[in-house]
Amino acid sequence: MEKEYVQSSNIEAVGYDKDTETLRVWFLNGSVYDYTGVGQLEYEALRDAPSVGSYLHQNIKGQYPYEKVD
């Protein structure tokens, strides 16, 4: 999955697989999480948000299943 680097105090990059509707988030602390069932428009809104961290917290976390990637 291709990384798209973002301006954030908490998030390094985001990526998206449209075939599986999986959003991947790389955090600056080294953690990586996959969120499933995320539509492409939702991904683009996250990527382009003025505050990527705030958008993730308000619109992705708690709304989509997720798992930590090793």
Side-chain angles (χ1 to χ4, degrees):
M1 186 178 304
E2 187 175 325
K3 281 185 175 181
E4 293 195 52
Y5 291 91
V6 295
Q7 293 284 342
S8 173
S9 61
N10 193 30
I11 298 168
E12 174 187 12
V14 295
Y16 186 71
D17 183 330
K18 65 180 178 182
D19 294 331
T20 62
E21 292 192 323
T22 300
L23 163 68
R24 180 166 289 175
V25 180
W26 287 268
F27 289 90
L28 291 172
N29 69 5
S31 297
V32 181
Y33 285 87
D34 281 351
Y35 295 85
T36 55
V38 178
Q40 187 165 352
L41 293 177
E42 185 83 274
Y43 163 69
E44 291 171 359
L46 168 70
R47 180 194 63 201
D48 299 337
S51 173
V52 177
S54 292
Y55 191 95
L56 180 75
H57 183 73
Q58 294 173 2
N59 299 284
I60 306 293
K61 287 185 176 182
Q63 304 298 316
Y64 297 97
Y66 69 92
E67 64 181 6
K68 188 172 184 179
V69 178
D70 293 328

